[in-house]
Amino acid sequence: MAFYTETEKRLRLLDRQRRALDMRRDAVTATAVDLVLHHGQELGPTARRAGLTAHALRQAVHAHPEIASILLGVPEG
């Protein structure tokens, strides 16, 4: 039976919470990108509502496959 100090328990909790936040942030970012690209929502207000910075959302939009090919000048096909 393993005995963990209070600090080790708190560090494990912090790690679990960070992973949960990362997954949530990815899901929120994907939804915000979809709203901007496919539903005509403005980038700034959508970013604020999602809890992201406009810069972070803009980078995510630029990284989206539909936009990246246009920005890089790669023909779709």
Side-chain angles (χ1 to χ4, degrees):
M1 199 159 128
F3 294 98
Y4 297 103
T5 66
E6 192 61 34
T7 301
E8 289 171 326
K9 290 178 187 176
R10 299 300 288 177
L11 287 170
R12 288 170 53 123
L13 175 63
L14 181 63
D15 289 341
R16 283 195 312 271
Q17 290 174 334
R18 189 201 68 231
R19 284 190 298 273
L21 180 61
D22 287 346
M23 288 188 294
R24 180 189 168 276
R25 188 178 299 124
D26 291 345
V28 166
T29 301
T31 302
V33 167
D34 179 62
L35 285 166
V36 169
L37 291 180
H38 301 118
H39 299 280
Q41 297 299 306
E42 294 182 11
L43 193 128
T46 303
R48 277 193 303 278
R49 189 167 185 167
L52 302 168
T53 64
H55 179 72
L57 182 54
R58 187 176 307 108
Q59 285 183 320
V61 168
H62 287 177
H64 191 274
E66 292 177 27
I67 302 301
S69 63
I70 294 168
L71 293 176
L72 295 174
V74 177
E76 292 184 42

